[in-house]
Amino acid sequence: MDATAPATPHASDQGTSAQASSAEDTCSPYDVFARDCPSRGTLEHVTGRWGSLTLSAISDSTVRFNELRRRVDGVSEKMLSQTLHALERDGLVNRRSQETNPPRVDYCLTPLGHDVARRLRELFDLVEGRMPEVLAAREAYDARGGR
Amino acid sequence: MDATAPATPHASDQGTSAQASSAEDTCSPYDVFARDCPSRGTLEHVTGRWGSLTLSAISDSTVRFNELRRRVDGVSEKMLSQTLHALERDGLVNRRSQETNPPRVDYCLTPLGHDVARRLRELFDLVEGRMPEVLAAREAYDARGGR
DNA sequence: CAGCATCCCACAGGATACTG
DNA sequence: CAGTATCCTGTGGGATGCTG
């Protein structure tokens, strides 16, 4: 019942793999472009609507549940909880609860989570910094009636 | 009707901004952590389920619609079309159609799109390369009954 | 405070069919 | 080939209420 190393990364062992992008220099057998590769699921946790913001919000701090809710503006209790569970299961987030009263639970990133969060923040910075370009493009697009 | 520079990036001008993460060194007034900042929408296009894969699949090539569909394994015609429109509107993708018969339409990245795609591929490579860690974490998590 | 359970609905998104 | 249009379902995700 143990399988520290999975037999096959994804069922479609060939023919599905898209292009060279990440397969050429990465020797990893995992490919996010393949529909049924497990990496796709993890990628969706990481890039998901709340996953990316949550990871980046934790960053290198140790933070409690409600503080996190405040940081990630707009997230509901339910979704934050759900998101944290998925990230914890994937080994990106550590959860440490102290059975006190009132209860105190702290979240922080694992080393892997930290690496992921760093990439995410680079992406955020890029998007934020270049929003003027994006908005200009939108107006141009709309101005000519979406063509 | 023109507004090359938007008046205010987001309505909630203060109090909402999460932590320092991207606000401290970025002078950009845009903040993905703010619920109603336009950058949040663009981020979702970029990190969305199909958006991220599509951008990365185009990469530095010029590619046609159906070829793209094949690269992004699992995307439906409808979603790819929809995704491409959103990315084009945000100024990340260029669409050039030649009115021939049969019709030929080519998609490629804008300079901005290329920059974004590069960050995305770094993220993909990281996730793919460390899937063994992720899977091990999952098993450990499941083994102890999700605690 | 930190959450799980429940209800419920809007919308993401798949399948199918049709057009230039 | 490169789409748009329509239909229909699953589920993402908000609101509310309860527990330790």
Side-chain angles (χ1 to χ4, degrees), chain B residues 33-83:
Chain B
F33 286 100
R35 191 172 27 70
D36 43 9
C37 177
S39 65
R40 177 87 78 106
T42 298
L43 182 70
E44 278 167 19
H45 292 159
V46 162
T47 61
R49 184 163 179 203
W50 302 118
S52 61
L53 291 172
T54 300
L55 283 171
S56 179
I58 299 180
S59 203
D60 46 7
S61 62
T62 292
V63 58
R64 302 175 61 174
F65 188 84
N66 279 301
E67 169 61 18
L68 207 44
R69 261 199 81 181
R70 259 167 266 129
R71 289 193 188 183
V72 182
D73 188 23
V75 70
S76 71
E77 191 174 274
K78 175 186 170 184
M79 289 318 296
L80 181 55
S81 171
Q82 196 170 297
T83 299

mmCIF file of all heavy atoms in Angstrom, chain B residues 33-83:
data_model
loop_
_atom_site.group_PDB
_atom_site.id
_atom_site.type_symbol
_atom_site.label_atom_id
_atom_site.label_comp_id
_atom_site.label_asym_id
_atom_site.label_seq_id
_atom_site.Cartn_x
_atom_site.Cartn_y
_atom_site.Cartn_z
ATOM 1 N N PHE B 33 -4.171 41.921 -4.338
ATOM 2 C CA PHE B 33 -4.820 41.493 -3.098
ATOM 3 C C PHE B 33 -6.096 42.263 -2.814
ATOM 4 O O PHE B 33 -6.899 41.857 -1.987
ATOM 5 C CB PHE B 33 -3.853 41.617 -1.918
ATOM 6 C CG PHE B 33 -2.818 40.549 -1.922
ATOM 7 C CD1 PHE B 33 -1.553 40.796 -2.398
ATOM 8 C CD2 PHE B 33 -3.122 39.274 -1.466
ATOM 9 C CE1 PHE B 33 -0.598 39.793 -2.421
ATOM 10 C CE2 PHE B 33 -2.175 38.271 -1.481
ATOM 11 C CZ PHE B 33 -0.909 38.530 -1.962
ATOM 12 N N ALA B 34 -6.256 43.371 -3.474
ATOM 13 C CA ALA B 34 -7.476 44.159 -3.296
ATOM 14 C C ALA B 34 -8.581 43.593 -4.174
ATOM 15 O O ALA B 34 -8.406 43.394 -5.372
ATOM 16 C CB ALA B 34 -7.218 45.617 -3.647
ATOM 17 N N ARG B 35 -9.692 43.342 -3.558
ATOM 18 C CA ARG B 35 -10.805 42.677 -4.222
ATOM 19 C C ARG B 35 -11.214 43.338 -5.536
ATOM 20 O O ARG B 35 -11.512 42.664 -6.513
ATOM 21 C CB ARG B 35 -12.003 42.644 -3.259
ATOM 22 C CG ARG B 35 -13.145 41.769 -3.677
ATOM 23 C CD ARG B 35 -14.205 41.644 -2.573
ATOM 24 N NE ARG B 35 -14.254 42.791 -1.668
ATOM 25 C CZ ARG B 35 -14.685 44.008 -1.970
ATOM 26 N NH1 ARG B 35 -15.108 44.255 -3.196
ATOM 27 N NH2 ARG B 35 -14.703 44.979 -1.082
ATOM 28 N N ASP B 36 -11.226 44.650 -5.570
ATOM 29 C CA ASP B 36 -11.753 45.322 -6.749
ATOM 30 C C ASP B 36 -10.695 46.025 -7.592
ATOM 31 O O ASP B 36 -10.995 46.934 -8.348
ATOM 32 C CB ASP B 36 -12.846 46.305 -6.340
ATOM 33 C CG ASP B 36 -12.425 47.071 -5.105
ATOM 34 O OD1 ASP B 36 -11.252 46.940 -4.726
ATOM 35 O OD2 ASP B 36 -13.254 47.796 -4.532
ATOM 36 N N CYS B 37 -9.471 45.588 -7.464
ATOM 37 C CA CYS B 37 -8.424 46.123 -8.338
ATOM 38 C C CYS B 37 -8.469 45.392 -9.673
ATOM 39 O O CYS B 37 -8.577 44.164 -9.696
ATOM 40 C CB CYS B 37 -7.056 45.941 -7.683
ATOM 41 S SG CYS B 37 -5.693 46.499 -8.720
ATOM 42 N N PRO B 38 -8.407 46.137 -10.765
ATOM 43 C CA PRO B 38 -8.477 45.495 -12.089
ATOM 44 C C PRO B 38 -7.385 44.455 -12.310
ATOM 45 O O PRO B 38 -7.554 43.544 -13.108
ATOM 46 C CB PRO B 38 -8.327 46.662 -13.059
ATOM 47 C CG PRO B 38 -7.902 47.833 -12.247
ATOM 48 C CD PRO B 38 -8.341 47.590 -10.852
ATOM 49 N N SER B 39 -6.281 44.613 -11.614
ATOM 50 C CA SER B 39 -5.200 43.645 -11.795
ATOM 51 C C SER B 39 -5.633 42.246 -11.374
ATOM 52 O O SER B 39 -5.102 41.248 -11.854
ATOM 53 C CB SER B 39 -3.968 44.065 -10.997
ATOM 54 O OG SER B 39 -4.234 44.023 -9.612
ATOM 55 N N ARG B 40 -6.578 42.188 -10.471
ATOM 56 C CA ARG B 40 -7.068 40.884 -10.034
ATOM 57 C C ARG B 40 -7.708 40.128 -11.189
ATOM 58 O O ARG B 40 -7.519 38.937 -11.363
ATOM 59 C CB ARG B 40 -8.081 41.098 -8.903
ATOM 60 C CG ARG B 40 -8.726 39.839 -8.393
ATOM 61 C CD ARG B 40 -7.936 39.164 -7.297
ATOM 62 N NE ARG B 40 -8.025 39.709 -6.057
ATOM 63 C CZ ARG B 40 -8.668 39.337 -4.906
ATOM 64 N NH1 ARG B 40 -9.267 38.491 -4.809
ATOM 65 N NH2 ARG B 40 -8.669 39.876 -3.816
ATOM 66 N N GLY B 41 -8.495 40.849 -11.978
ATOM 67 C CA GLY B 41 -9.129 40.227 -13.134
ATOM 68 C C GLY B 41 -8.119 39.711 -14.138
ATOM 69 O O GLY B 41 -8.217 38.579 -14.621
ATOM 70 N N THR B 42 -7.134 40.534 -14.435
ATOM 71 C CA THR B 42 -6.101 40.120 -15.376
ATOM 72 C C THR B 42 -5.327 38.926 -14.835
ATOM 73 O O THR B 42 -5.033 37.982 -15.561
ATOM 74 C CB THR B 42 -5.129 41.275 -15.648
ATOM 75 O OG1 THR B 42 -5.853 42.351 -16.234
ATOM 76 C CG2 THR B 42 -4.027 40.850 -16.596
ATOM 77 N N LEU B 43 -5.045 38.960 -13.558
ATOM 78 C CA LEU B 43 -4.350 37.832 -12.939
ATOM 79 C C LEU B 43 -5.138 36.548 -13.122
ATOM 80 O O LEU B 43 -4.574 35.493 -13.398
ATOM 81 C CB LEU B 43 -4.153 38.096 -11.445
ATOM 82 C CG LEU B 43 -3.387 36.996 -10.718
ATOM 83 C CD1 LEU B 43 -1.935 36.980 -11.143
ATOM 84 C CD2 LEU B 43 -3.504 37.135 -9.212
ATOM 85 N N GLU B 44 -6.443 36.664 -13.020
ATOM 86 C CA GLU B 44 -7.258 35.458 -13.171
ATOM 87 C C GLU B 44 -7.279 34.951 -14.610
ATOM 88 O O GLU B 44 -7.360 33.758 -14.846
ATOM 89 C CB GLU B 44 -8.674 35.700 -12.631
ATOM 90 C CG GLU B 44 -8.719 35.521 -11.121
ATOM 91 C CD GLU B 44 -9.993 36.037 -10.472
ATOM 92 O OE1 GLU B 44 -11.004 36.212 -11.171
ATOM 93 O OE2 GLU B 44 -9.980 36.279 -9.245
ATOM 94 N N HIS B 45 -7.202 35.860 -15.548
ATOM 95 C CA HIS B 45 -7.085 35.421 -16.938
ATOM 96 C C HIS B 45 -5.771 34.668 -17.129
ATOM 97 O O HIS B 45 -5.698 33.652 -17.800
ATOM 98 C CB HIS B 45 -7.114 36.611 -17.890
ATOM 99 C CG HIS B 45 -8.436 37.294 -17.936
ATOM 100 N ND1 HIS B 45 -8.589 38.590 -18.377
ATOM 101 C CD2 HIS B 45 -9.678 36.871 -17.584
ATOM 102 C CE1 HIS B 45 -9.873 38.922 -18.293
ATOM 103 N NE2 HIS B 45 -10.543 37.905 -17.814
ATOM 104 N N VAL B 46 -4.742 35.205 -16.520
ATOM 105 C CA VAL B 46 -3.395 34.676 -16.705
ATOM 106 C C VAL B 46 -3.178 33.353 -15.975
ATOM 107 O O VAL B 46 -2.536 32.448 -16.482
ATOM 108 C CB VAL B 46 -2.362 35.714 -16.214
ATOM 109 C CG1 VAL B 46 -1.017 35.074 -15.975
ATOM 110 C CG2 VAL B 46 -2.252 36.838 -17.226
ATOM 111 N N THR B 47 -3.731 33.271 -14.769
ATOM 112 C CA THR B 47 -3.521 32.064 -13.974
ATOM 113 C C THR B 47 -4.689 31.094 -14.101
ATOM 114 O O THR B 47 -4.651 30.012 -13.541
ATOM 115 C CB THR B 47 -3.360 32.398 -12.482
ATOM 116 O OG1 THR B 47 -4.550 33.032 -12.016
ATOM 117 C CG2 THR B 47 -2.186 33.304 -12.261
ATOM 118 N N GLY B 48 -5.705 31.503 -14.828
ATOM 119 C CA GLY B 48 -6.887 30.661 -14.954
ATOM 120 C C GLY B 48 -6.562 29.287 -15.499
ATOM 121 O O GLY B 48 -5.493 29.039 -16.050
ATOM 122 N N ARG B 49 -7.514 28.410 -15.317
ATOM 123 C CA ARG B 49 -7.359 27.011 -15.711
ATOM 124 C C ARG B 49 -6.788 26.852 -17.113
ATOM 125 O O ARG B 49 -5.871 26.076 -17.339
ATOM 126 C CB ARG B 49 -8.739 26.340 -15.649
ATOM 127 C CG ARG B 49 -8.680 24.873 -15.941
ATOM 128 C CD ARG B 49 -9.960 24.225 -15.470
ATOM 129 N NE ARG B 49 -9.978 22.812 -15.736
ATOM 130 C CZ ARG B 49 -11.099 22.097 -15.842
ATOM 131 N NH1 ARG B 49 -12.252 22.700 -15.701
ATOM 132 N NH2 ARG B 49 -11.059 20.808 -16.072
ATOM 133 N N TRP B 50 -7.322 27.575 -18.091
ATOM 134 C CA TRP B 50 -6.860 27.435 -19.475
ATOM 135 C C TRP B 50 -5.929 28.557 -19.879
ATOM 136 O O TRP B 50 -5.094 28.400 -20.779
ATOM 137 C CB TRP B 50 -8.052 27.364 -20.421
ATOM 138 C CG TRP B 50 -8.977 26.246 -20.095
ATOM 139 C CD1 TRP B 50 -10.290 26.360 -19.727
ATOM 140 C CD2 TRP B 50 -8.676 24.849 -20.064
ATOM 141 N NE1 TRP B 50 -10.814 25.122 -19.483
ATOM 142 C CE2 TRP B 50 -9.849 24.173 -19.682
ATOM 143 C CE3 TRP B 50 -7.523 24.109 -20.325
ATOM 144 C CZ2 TRP B 50 -9.905 22.790 -19.547
ATOM 145 C CZ3 TRP B 50 -7.584 22.736 -20.188
ATOM 146 C CH2 TRP B 50 -8.761 22.091 -19.805
ATOM 147 N N GLY B 51 -6.052 29.694 -19.241
ATOM 148 C CA GLY B 51 -5.218 30.841 -19.597
ATOM 149 C C GLY B 51 -3.738 30.565 -19.471
ATOM 150 O O GLY B 51 -2.956 30.847 -20.380
ATOM 151 N N SER B 52 -3.349 30.008 -18.347
ATOM 152 C CA SER B 52 -1.930 29.763 -18.117
ATOM 153 C C SER B 52 -1.372 28.761 -19.117
ATOM 154 O O SER B 52 -0.293 28.967 -19.683
ATOM 155 C CB SER B 52 -1.708 29.261 -16.693
ATOM 156 O OG SER B 52 -2.385 28.043 -16.478
ATOM 157 N N LEU B 53 -2.107 27.698 -19.355
ATOM 158 C CA LEU B 53 -1.639 26.682 -20.291
ATOM 159 C C LEU B 53 -1.591 27.222 -21.716
ATOM 160 O O LEU B 53 -0.665 26.927 -22.470
ATOM 161 C CB LEU B 53 -2.541 25.444 -20.230
ATOM 162 C CG LEU B 53 -2.455 24.627 -18.937
ATOM 163 C CD1 LEU B 53 -3.512 23.543 -18.907
ATOM 164 C CD2 LEU B 53 -1.066 24.018 -18.797
ATOM 165 N N THR B 54 -2.586 28.022 -22.052
ATOM 166 C CA THR B 54 -2.639 28.574 -23.402
ATOM 167 C C THR B 54 -1.459 29.504 -23.664
ATOM 168 O O THR B 54 -0.778 29.389 -24.685
ATOM 169 C CB THR B 54 -3.960 29.340 -23.616
ATOM 170 O OG1 THR B 54 -5.053 28.454 -23.423
ATOM 171 C CG2 THR B 54 -4.018 29.922 -25.009
ATOM 172 N N LEU B 55 -1.217 30.399 -22.748
ATOM 173 C CA LEU B 55 -0.093 31.319 -22.906
ATOM 174 C C LEU B 55 1.210 30.555 -23.073
ATOM 175 O O LEU B 55 2.010 30.832 -23.963
ATOM 176 C CB LEU B 55 0.005 32.243 -21.690
ATOM 177 C CG LEU B 55 -0.998 33.387 -21.640
ATOM 178 C CD1 LEU B 55 -0.946 34.089 -20.291
ATOM 179 C CD2 LEU B 55 -0.721 34.380 -22.763
ATOM 180 N N SER B 56 1.400 29.595 -22.206
ATOM 181 C CA SER B 56 2.637 28.839 -22.250
ATOM 182 C C SER B 56 2.725 27.963 -23.491
ATOM 183 O O SER B 56 3.811 27.709 -24.004
ATOM 184 C CB SER B 56 2.753 27.987 -20.983
ATOM 185 O OG SER B 56 3.920 27.226 -21.016
ATOM 186 N N ALA B 57 1.585 27.513 -23.968
ATOM 187 C CA ALA B 57 1.571 26.662 -25.156
ATOM 188 C C ALA B 57 1.935 27.456 -26.408
ATOM 189 O O ALA B 57 2.582 26.947 -27.315
ATOM 190 C CB ALA B 57 0.210 26.010 -25.331
ATOM 191 N N ILE B 58 1.521 28.696 -26.457
ATOM 192 C CA ILE B 58 1.884 29.534 -27.596
ATOM 193 C C ILE B 58 3.376 29.820 -27.534
ATOM 194 O O ILE B 58 4.096 29.685 -28.509
ATOM 195 C CB ILE B 58 1.104 30.863 -27.594
ATOM 196 C CG1 ILE B 58 -0.394 30.603 -27.684
ATOM 197 C CG2 ILE B 58 1.562 31.731 -28.758
ATOM 198 C CD1 ILE B 58 -1.233 31.861 -27.696
ATOM 199 N N SER B 59 3.805 30.211 -26.350
ATOM 200 C CA SER B 59 5.233 30.441 -26.134
ATOM 201 C C SER B 59 5.784 31.363 -27.204
ATOM 202 O O SER B 59 5.202 32.398 -27.460
ATOM 203 C CB SER B 59 5.938 29.088 -26.134
ATOM 204 O OG SER B 59 7.143 29.180 -25.442
ATOM 205 N N ASP B 60 6.868 31.012 -27.837
ATOM 206 C CA ASP B 60 7.419 31.922 -28.838
ATOM 207 C C ASP B 60 7.114 31.470 -30.259
ATOM 208 O O ASP B 60 7.736 31.924 -31.204
ATOM 209 C CB ASP B 60 8.927 32.104 -28.638
ATOM 210 C CG ASP B 60 9.604 30.772 -28.427
ATOM 211 O OD1 ASP B 60 8.930 29.737 -28.577
ATOM 212 O OD2 ASP B 60 10.798 30.759 -28.114
ATOM 213 N N SER B 61 6.144 30.600 -30.379
ATOM 214 C CA SER B 61 5.781 30.136 -31.717
ATOM 215 C C SER B 61 4.560 30.890 -32.229
ATOM 216 O O SER B 61 3.893 31.597 -31.478
ATOM 217 C CB SER B 61 5.487 28.633 -31.690
ATOM 218 O OG SER B 61 4.397 28.364 -30.836
ATOM 219 N N THR B 62 4.319 30.741 -33.503
ATOM 220 C CA THR B 62 3.088 31.246 -34.094
ATOM 221 C C THR B 62 2.265 30.029 -34.426
ATOM 222 O O THR B 62 2.729 29.136 -35.127
ATOM 223 C CB THR B 62 3.384 32.052 -35.371
ATOM 224 O OG1 THR B 62 4.063 33.243 -35.002
ATOM 225 C CG2 THR B 62 2.091 32.413 -36.081
ATOM 226 N N VAL B 63 1.077 30.001 -33.891
ATOM 227 C CA VAL B 63 0.340 28.752 -33.932
ATOM 228 C C VAL B 63 -1.125 28.955 -34.300
ATOM 229 O O VAL B 63 -1.717 29.990 -33.984
ATOM 230 C CB VAL B 63 0.485 28.037 -32.572
ATOM 231 C CG1 VAL B 63 -0.012 28.924 -31.456
ATOM 232 C CG2 VAL B 63 -0.218 26.705 -32.546
ATOM 233 N N ARG B 64 -1.685 27.977 -34.960
ATOM 234 C CA ARG B 64 -3.070 28.055 -35.402
ATOM 235 C C ARG B 64 -4.010 27.470 -34.353
ATOM 236 O O ARG B 64 -3.577 26.784 -33.431
ATOM 237 C CB ARG B 64 -3.227 27.323 -36.732
ATOM 238 C CG ARG B 64 -2.314 27.901 -37.784
ATOM 239 C CD ARG B 64 -2.386 27.106 -39.051
ATOM 240 N NE ARG B 64 -3.746 27.114 -39.604
ATOM 241 C CZ ARG B 64 -4.049 26.588 -40.785
ATOM 242 N NH1 ARG B 64 -3.114 26.025 -41.507
ATOM 243 N NH2 ARG B 64 -5.297 26.613 -41.229
ATOM 244 N N PHE B 65 -5.270 27.759 -34.544
ATOM 245 C CA PHE B 65 -6.271 27.391 -33.534
ATOM 246 C C PHE B 65 -6.265 25.909 -33.169
ATOM 247 O O PHE B 65 -6.123 25.546 -31.995
ATOM 248 C CB PHE B 65 -7.667 27.805 -34.021
ATOM 249 C CG PHE B 65 -8.742 27.647 -32.991
ATOM 250 C CD1 PHE B 65 -8.965 28.635 -32.037
ATOM 251 C CD2 PHE B 65 -9.534 26.513 -32.963
ATOM 252 C CE1 PHE B 65 -9.959 28.500 -31.089
ATOM 253 C CE2 PHE B 65 -10.527 26.366 -32.002
ATOM 254 C CZ PHE B 65 -10.742 27.356 -31.075
ATOM 255 N N ASN B 66 -6.398 25.078 -34.165
ATOM 256 C CA ASN B 66 -6.525 23.654 -33.865
ATOM 257 C C ASN B 66 -5.229 23.033 -33.368
ATOM 258 O O ASN B 66 -5.259 22.093 -32.572
ATOM 259 C CB ASN B 66 -7.046 22.902 -35.098
ATOM 260 C CG ASN B 66 -8.557 23.043 -35.207
ATOM 261 O OD1 ASN B 66 -9.280 22.655 -34.321
ATOM 262 N ND2 ASN B 66 -9.019 23.641 -36.292
ATOM 263 N N GLU B 67 -4.112 23.593 -33.821
ATOM 264 C CA GLU B 67 -2.832 23.128 -33.302
ATOM 265 C C GLU B 67 -2.757 23.436 -31.810
ATOM 266 O O GLU B 67 -2.304 22.634 -30.998
ATOM 267 C CB GLU B 67 -1.684 23.826 -34.039
ATOM 268 C CG GLU B 67 -0.318 23.636 -33.428
ATOM 269 C CD GLU B 67 0.120 22.185 -33.375
ATOM 270 O OE1 GLU B 67 -0.449 21.354 -34.100
ATOM 271 O OE2 GLU B 67 1.034 21.886 -32.572
ATOM 272 N N LEU B 68 -3.248 24.596 -31.464
ATOM 273 C CA LEU B 68 -3.262 25.009 -30.061
ATOM 274 C C LEU B 68 -4.157 24.088 -29.244
ATOM 275 O O LEU B 68 -3.821 23.706 -28.118
ATOM 276 C CB LEU B 68 -3.771 26.453 -29.989
ATOM 277 C CG LEU B 68 -3.328 27.324 -28.822
ATOM 278 C CD1 LEU B 68 -1.863 27.192 -28.541
ATOM 279 C CD2 LEU B 68 -3.692 28.773 -29.125
ATOM 280 N N ARG B 69 -5.265 23.737 -29.818
ATOM 281 C CA ARG B 69 -6.184 22.822 -29.129
ATOM 282 C C ARG B 69 -5.502 21.510 -28.817
ATOM 283 O O ARG B 69 -5.721 20.905 -27.775
ATOM 284 C CB ARG B 69 -7.390 22.522 -30.019
ATOM 285 C CG ARG B 69 -8.589 23.330 -29.671
ATOM 286 C CD ARG B 69 -9.844 22.698 -30.242
ATOM 287 N NE ARG B 69 -10.338 21.609 -29.406
ATOM 288 C CZ ARG B 69 -11.405 20.872 -29.686
ATOM 289 N NH1 ARG B 69 -12.078 21.105 -30.789
ATOM 290 N NH2 ARG B 69 -11.799 19.920 -28.876
ATOM 291 N N ARG B 70 -4.676 21.061 -29.745
ATOM 292 C CA ARG B 70 -3.982 19.794 -29.547
ATOM 293 C C ARG B 70 -2.921 19.932 -28.464
ATOM 294 O O ARG B 70 -2.700 19.030 -27.664
ATOM 295 C CB ARG B 70 -3.338 19.338 -30.861
ATOM 296 C CG ARG B 70 -4.127 18.258 -31.577
ATOM 297 C CD ARG B 70 -3.647 18.064 -32.997
ATOM 298 N NE ARG B 70 -4.424 18.846 -33.963
ATOM 299 C CZ ARG B 70 -3.908 19.651 -34.872
ATOM 300 N NH1 ARG B 70 -2.600 19.826 -34.953
ATOM 301 N NH2 ARG B 70 -4.699 20.313 -35.703
ATOM 302 N N ARG B 71 -2.289 21.084 -28.424
ATOM 303 C CA ARG B 71 -1.236 21.280 -27.423
ATOM 304 C C ARG B 71 -1.801 21.335 -26.017
ATOM 305 O O ARG B 71 -1.254 20.739 -25.098
ATOM 306 C CB ARG B 71 -0.489 22.598 -27.698
ATOM 307 C CG ARG B 71 0.375 22.537 -28.932
ATOM 308 C CD ARG B 71 1.315 23.723 -28.978
ATOM 309 N NE ARG B 71 2.021 23.782 -30.256
ATOM 310 C CZ ARG B 71 2.950 24.670 -30.554
ATOM 311 N NH1 ARG B 71 3.270 25.605 -29.675
ATOM 312 N NH2 ARG B 71 3.556 24.653 -31.717
ATOM 313 N N VAL B 72 -2.878 22.072 -25.874
ATOM 314 C CA VAL B 72 -3.497 22.184 -24.560
ATOM 315 C C VAL B 72 -4.496 21.048 -24.410
ATOM 316 O O VAL B 72 -5.683 21.195 -24.695
ATOM 317 C CB VAL B 72 -4.195 23.544 -24.387
ATOM 318 C CG1 VAL B 72 -4.799 23.660 -22.993
ATOM 319 C CG2 VAL B 72 -3.214 24.678 -24.636
ATOM 320 N N ASP B 73 -3.994 19.948 -23.945
ATOM 321 C CA ASP B 73 -4.784 18.724 -23.883
ATOM 322 C C ASP B 73 -5.984 18.877 -22.953
ATOM 323 O O ASP B 73 -5.829 19.205 -21.782
ATOM 324 C CB ASP B 73 -3.885 17.582 -23.391
ATOM 325 C CG ASP B 73 -4.586 16.242 -23.486
ATOM 326 O OD1 ASP B 73 -5.518 16.126 -24.297
ATOM 327 O OD2 ASP B 73 -4.190 15.326 -22.741
ATOM 328 N N GLY B 74 -7.174 18.669 -23.503
ATOM 329 C CA GLY B 74 -8.372 18.676 -22.679
ATOM 330 C C GLY B 74 -9.224 19.925 -22.827
ATOM 331 O O GLY B 74 -10.356 19.953 -22.363
ATOM 332 N N VAL B 75 -8.688 20.952 -23.457
ATOM 333 C CA VAL B 75 -9.475 22.180 -23.608
ATOM 334 C C VAL B 75 -10.527 21.986 -24.696
ATOM 335 O O VAL B 75 -10.276 21.326 -25.710
ATOM 336 C CB VAL B 75 -8.560 23.381 -23.958
ATOM 337 C CG1 VAL B 75 -8.011 23.267 -25.373
ATOM 338 C CG2 VAL B 75 -9.321 24.681 -23.779
ATOM 339 N N SER B 76 -11.706 22.524 -24.463
ATOM 340 C CA SER B 76 -12.748 22.428 -25.474
ATOM 341 C C SER B 76 -12.612 23.599 -26.436
ATOM 342 O O SER B 76 -11.980 24.609 -26.140
ATOM 343 C CB SER B 76 -14.119 22.458 -24.820
ATOM 344 O OG SER B 76 -14.397 23.745 -24.319
ATOM 345 N N GLU B 77 -13.214 23.424 -27.579
ATOM 346 C CA GLU B 77 -13.211 24.468 -28.594
ATOM 347 C C GLU B 77 -13.717 25.783 -28.003
ATOM 348 O O GLU B 77 -13.099 26.837 -28.152
ATOM 349 C CB GLU B 77 -14.144 24.009 -29.707
ATOM 350 C CG GLU B 77 -14.100 24.795 -30.954
ATOM 351 C CD GLU B 77 -14.968 24.118 -32.006
ATOM 352 O OE1 GLU B 77 -14.471 23.222 -32.691
ATOM 353 O OE2 GLU B 77 -16.149 24.474 -32.142
ATOM 354 N N LYS B 78 -14.815 25.659 -27.321
ATOM 355 C CA LYS B 78 -15.435 26.848 -26.748
ATOM 356 C C LYS B 78 -14.522 27.567 -25.773
ATOM 357 O O LYS B 78 -14.364 28.785 -25.842
ATOM 358 C CB LYS B 78 -16.719 26.448 -26.031
ATOM 359 C CG LYS B 78 -17.400 27.572 -25.294
ATOM 360 C CD LYS B 78 -18.575 27.038 -24.497
ATOM 361 C CE LYS B 78 -19.124 28.073 -23.555
ATOM 362 N NZ LYS B 78 -20.209 27.512 -22.723
ATOM 363 N N MET B 79 -13.933 26.819 -24.860
ATOM 364 C CA MET B 79 -13.111 27.445 -23.838
ATOM 365 C C MET B 79 -11.842 28.039 -24.427
ATOM 366 O O MET B 79 -11.370 29.088 -23.983
ATOM 367 C CB MET B 79 -12.768 26.446 -22.735
ATOM 368 C CG MET B 79 -13.940 26.083 -21.864
ATOM 369 S SD MET B 79 -14.951 27.504 -21.435
ATOM 370 C CE MET B 79 -13.814 28.475 -20.461
ATOM 371 N N LEU B 80 -11.271 27.379 -25.415
ATOM 372 C CA LEU B 80 -10.063 27.918 -26.023
ATOM 373 C C LEU B 80 -10.371 29.245 -26.707
ATOM 374 O O LEU B 80 -9.649 30.228 -26.546
ATOM 375 C CB LEU B 80 -9.476 26.926 -27.033
ATOM 376 C CG LEU B 80 -8.192 27.403 -27.711
ATOM 377 C CD1 LEU B 80 -7.132 27.771 -26.697
ATOM 378 C CD2 LEU B 80 -7.669 26.364 -28.689
ATOM 379 N N SER B 81 -11.470 29.268 -27.433
ATOM 380 C CA SER B 81 -11.894 30.481 -28.110
ATOM 381 C C SER B 81 -12.088 31.614 -27.107
ATOM 382 O O SER B 81 -11.588 32.729 -27.275
ATOM 383 C CB SER B 81 -13.198 30.205 -28.860
ATOM 384 O OG SER B 81 -13.738 31.400 -29.363
ATOM 385 N N GLN B 82 -12.803 31.285 -26.065
ATOM 386 C CA GLN B 82 -13.107 32.261 -25.021
ATOM 387 C C GLN B 82 -11.834 32.754 -24.336
ATOM 388 O O GLN B 82 -11.655 33.951 -24.104
ATOM 389 C CB GLN B 82 -14.011 31.548 -24.018
ATOM 390 C CG GLN B 82 -14.747 32.415 -23.073
ATOM 391 C CD GLN B 82 -15.794 31.585 -22.317
ATOM 392 O OE1 GLN B 82 -16.728 31.034 -22.904
ATOM 393 N NE2 GLN B 82 -15.597 31.451 -21.014
ATOM 394 N N THR B 83 -10.965 31.830 -24.037
ATOM 395 C CA THR B 83 -9.701 32.162 -23.387
ATOM 396 C C THR B 83 -8.853 33.076 -24.263
ATOM 397 O O THR B 83 -8.300 34.069 -23.794
ATOM 398 C CB THR B 83 -8.905 30.873 -23.084
ATOM 399 O OG1 THR B 83 -9.672 30.048 -22.208
ATOM 400 C CG2 THR B 83 -7.578 31.208 -22.431
#
